[in-house]
mmCIF file of all heavy atoms in Angstrom:
data_model
loop_
_atom_site.group_PDB
_atom_site.id
_atom_site.type_symbol
_atom_site.label_atom_id
_atom_site.label_comp_id
_atom_site.label_asym_id
_atom_site.label_seq_id
_atom_site.Cartn_x
_atom_site.Cartn_y
_atom_site.Cartn_z
ATOM 1 N N THR A 30 98.921 122.458 91.424
ATOM 2 C CA THR A 30 98.153 123.467 92.156
ATOM 3 C C THR A 30 97.629 122.892 93.466
ATOM 4 O O THR A 30 97.088 121.790 93.495
ATOM 5 C CB THR A 30 96.975 123.964 91.295
ATOM 6 O OG1 THR A 30 97.497 124.578 90.119
ATOM 7 C CG2 THR A 30 96.131 124.969 92.050
ATOM 8 N N PHE A 31 97.769 123.649 94.539
ATOM 9 C CA PHE A 31 97.229 123.209 95.819
ATOM 10 C C PHE A 31 95.718 123.003 95.712
ATOM 11 O O PHE A 31 95.010 123.794 95.073
ATOM 12 C CB PHE A 31 97.507 124.246 96.910
ATOM 13 C CG PHE A 31 98.885 124.154 97.492
ATOM 14 C CD1 PHE A 31 99.796 125.182 97.296
ATOM 15 C CD2 PHE A 31 99.277 123.044 98.233
ATOM 16 C CE1 PHE A 31 101.075 125.110 97.831
ATOM 17 C CE2 PHE A 31 100.548 122.959 98.762
ATOM 18 C CZ PHE A 31 101.456 124.001 98.572
ATOM 19 N N ALA A 32 95.245 121.945 96.355
ATOM 20 C CA ALA A 32 93.816 121.644 96.369
ATOM 21 C C ALA A 32 93.409 121.190 97.766
ATOM 22 O O ALA A 32 94.196 120.590 98.498
ATOM 23 C CB ALA A 32 93.487 120.559 95.356
ATOM 24 N N PHE A 33 92.191 121.511 98.112
ATOM 25 C CA PHE A 33 91.576 121.050 99.360
ATOM 26 C C PHE A 33 90.672 119.885 98.997
ATOM 27 O O PHE A 33 89.756 120.026 98.179
ATOM 28 C CB PHE A 33 90.782 122.187 99.993
ATOM 29 C CG PHE A 33 90.048 121.828 101.251
ATOM 30 C CD1 PHE A 33 90.691 121.182 102.288
ATOM 31 C CD2 PHE A 33 88.707 122.161 101.406
ATOM 32 C CE1 PHE A 33 90.018 120.864 103.467
ATOM 33 C CE2 PHE A 33 88.027 121.867 102.579
ATOM 34 C CZ PHE A 33 88.679 121.208 103.608
ATOM 35 N N VAL A 34 90.932 118.722 99.575
ATOM 36 C CA VAL A 34 90.214 117.487 99.226
ATOM 37 C C VAL A 34 89.555 116.917 100.477
ATOM 38 O O VAL A 34 90.181 116.857 101.543
ATOM 39 C CB VAL A 34 91.178 116.442 98.628
ATOM 40 C CG1 VAL A 34 90.422 115.164 98.256
ATOM 41 C CG2 VAL A 34 91.915 117.007 97.416
ATOM 42 N N THR A 35 88.297 116.502 100.345
ATOM 43 C CA THR A 35 87.593 115.854 101.445
ATOM 44 C C THR A 35 87.018 114.522 100.973
ATOM 45 O O THR A 35 86.332 114.471 99.948
ATOM 46 C CB THR A 35 86.454 116.735 101.982
ATOM 47 O OG1 THR A 35 86.997 117.954 102.492
ATOM 48 C CG2 THR A 35 85.691 116.028 103.095
ATOM 49 N N CYS A 36 87.337 113.450 101.697
ATOM 50 C CA CYS A 36 86.758 112.130 101.456
ATOM 51 C C CYS A 36 85.952 111.741 102.691
ATOM 52 O O CYS A 36 86.386 112.002 103.815
ATOM 53 C CB CYS A 36 87.842 111.079 101.233
ATOM 54 S SG CYS A 36 89.036 111.475 99.946
ATOM 55 N N ARG A 37 84.810 111.092 102.512
ATOM 56 C CA ARG A 37 83.985 110.727 103.667
ATOM 57 C C ARG A 37 83.546 109.274 103.589
ATOM 58 O O ARG A 37 83.395 108.703 102.496
ATOM 59 C CB ARG A 37 82.780 111.649 103.789
ATOM 60 C CG ARG A 37 81.753 111.544 102.661
ATOM 61 C CD ARG A 37 80.612 112.538 102.891
ATOM 62 N NE ARG A 37 79.605 112.500 101.836
ATOM 63 C CZ ARG A 37 78.540 111.719 101.830
ATOM 64 N NH1 ARG A 37 78.347 110.844 102.816
ATOM 65 N NH2 ARG A 37 77.656 111.769 100.851
ATOM 66 N N LEU A 38 83.348 108.685 104.758
ATOM 67 C CA LEU A 38 82.858 107.315 104.820
ATOM 68 C C LEU A 38 81.427 107.236 104.303
ATOM 69 O O LEU A 38 80.662 108.203 104.370
ATOM 70 C CB LEU A 38 82.920 106.796 106.253
ATOM 71 C CG LEU A 38 84.315 106.676 106.874
ATOM 72 C CD1 LEU A 38 84.216 106.056 108.267
ATOM 73 C CD2 LEU A 38 85.251 105.849 106.004
ATOM 74 N N ILE A 39 81.054 106.071 103.822
ATOM 75 C CA ILE A 39 79.788 105.924 103.109
ATOM 76 C C ILE A 39 78.577 106.167 104.007
ATOM 77 O O ILE A 39 77.515 106.570 103.529
ATOM 78 C CB ILE A 39 79.720 104.527 102.442
ATOM 79 C CG1 ILE A 39 78.658 104.516 101.349
ATOM 80 C CG2 ILE A 39 79.532 103.428 103.477
ATOM 81 C CD1 ILE A 39 78.776 103.340 100.401
ATOM 82 N N ASP A 40 78.721 105.958 105.325
ATOM 83 C CA ASP A 40 77.582 106.139 106.234
ATOM 84 C C ASP A 40 77.674 107.442 107.031
ATOM 85 O O ASP A 40 76.981 107.609 108.025
ATOM 86 C CB ASP A 40 77.482 104.955 107.199
ATOM 87 C CG ASP A 40 78.693 104.837 108.124
ATOM 88 O OD1 ASP A 40 79.695 105.547 107.890
ATOM 89 O OD2 ASP A 40 78.641 104.039 109.080
ATOM 90 N N SER A 41 78.519 108.377 106.568
ATOM 91 C CA SER A 41 78.784 109.593 107.348
ATOM 92 C C SER A 41 77.658 110.621 107.306
ATOM 93 O O SER A 41 77.602 111.513 108.163
ATOM 94 C CB SER A 41 80.084 110.250 106.874
ATOM 95 O OG SER A 41 80.001 110.569 105.496
ATOM 96 N N LEU A 42 76.766 110.508 106.318
ATOM 97 C CA LEU A 42 75.640 111.444 106.220
ATOM 98 C C LEU A 42 74.345 110.666 106.031
ATOM 99 O O LEU A 42 73.979 110.315 104.904
ATOM 100 C CB LEU A 42 75.839 112.423 105.054
ATOM 101 C CG LEU A 42 76.922 113.486 105.218
ATOM 102 C CD1 LEU A 42 77.031 114.329 103.960
ATOM 103 C CD2 LEU A 42 76.645 114.380 106.429
#
Side-chain angles (χ1 to χ4, degrees):
T30 298
F31 278 114
F33 177 50
V34 180
T35 298
C36 306
R37 66 181 179 89
L38 296 184
I39 198 164
D40 64 350
S41 59
L42 289 178

